[in-house]
Amino acid sequence: MNNNADANGGGGVGNQNAEGNQEHQIPQHLLQLIPRPRNVMFTMTERQIQFMYVTWAGARVRVRQELYQPELPVQPYPQPPVWTEETRAMIVLWIARERRIFQMEVEEMERLLGLRENRTYSIQTLGPNASPAPSAN
């Protein structure tokens, strides 16, 4: 029994249509119905931001101990806080943004040291929600 053929319509096999052709593109008329992405703004309270930086500092201490003093016993992880779904989403976005900023800083350091070619975008054009597409250097 081929349930995939029934689910895809047209009686085809897998991703094939009724004529047996594989179609891997979404029809244009369906794409017009899909809402376009929009900018999402979020804010964290001063207390949440402070908590993030304190936690980050703790993570750095743990990593450095693991790298430079592996003979010392590793402290157990504390119980993680309980977050609302909204706060959890904001924290995930904040971490992704910080990770991207760190990546940009390291790439800039490589350029300053002559280890990487010059970038094709300007740091000044980056806003708080921008995500540049760096060159493939």
Side-chain angles (χ1 to χ4, degrees), residues 22-108:
Q22 289 192 357
E23 295 185 15
H24 298 286
Q25 294 182 350
I26 300 172
Q28 191 63 32
H29 70 278
L30 293 177
L31 287 175
Q32 293 171 351
L33 301 174
I34 299 172
R36 298 290 173 230
R38 56 190 165 129
N39 287 337
V40 176
M41 299 286 294
F42 68 93
T43 56
M44 294 173 61
T45 65
E46 186 68 28
R47 184 170 173 247
Q48 288 171 328
I49 292 173
Q50 288 175 349
F51 180 76
M52 295 303 293
Y53 282 112
V54 167
T55 305
W56 194 345
R60 291 183 79 186
V61 167
R62 292 177 68 90
V63 168
R64 279 171 175 58
Q65 178 184 334
E66 187 176 332
L67 287 173
Y68 301 119
Q69 300 170 325
E71 68 280 357
L72 294 178
V74 178
Q75 296 297 317
Y77 284 103
Q79 283 293 103
V82 177
W83 305 108
T84 64
E85 285 300 315
E86 181 179 295
T87 302
R88 184 179 177 88
M90 288 190 294
I91 291 171
V92 167
L93 292 172
W94 185 88
I95 290 172
R97 179 179 171 270
E98 291 296 320
R99 180 178 286 130
R100 180 66 181 125
I101 290 170
F102 177 76
Q103 179 184 1
M104 290 171 64
E105 290 171 347
V106 170
E107 289 174 3
E108 189 66 18

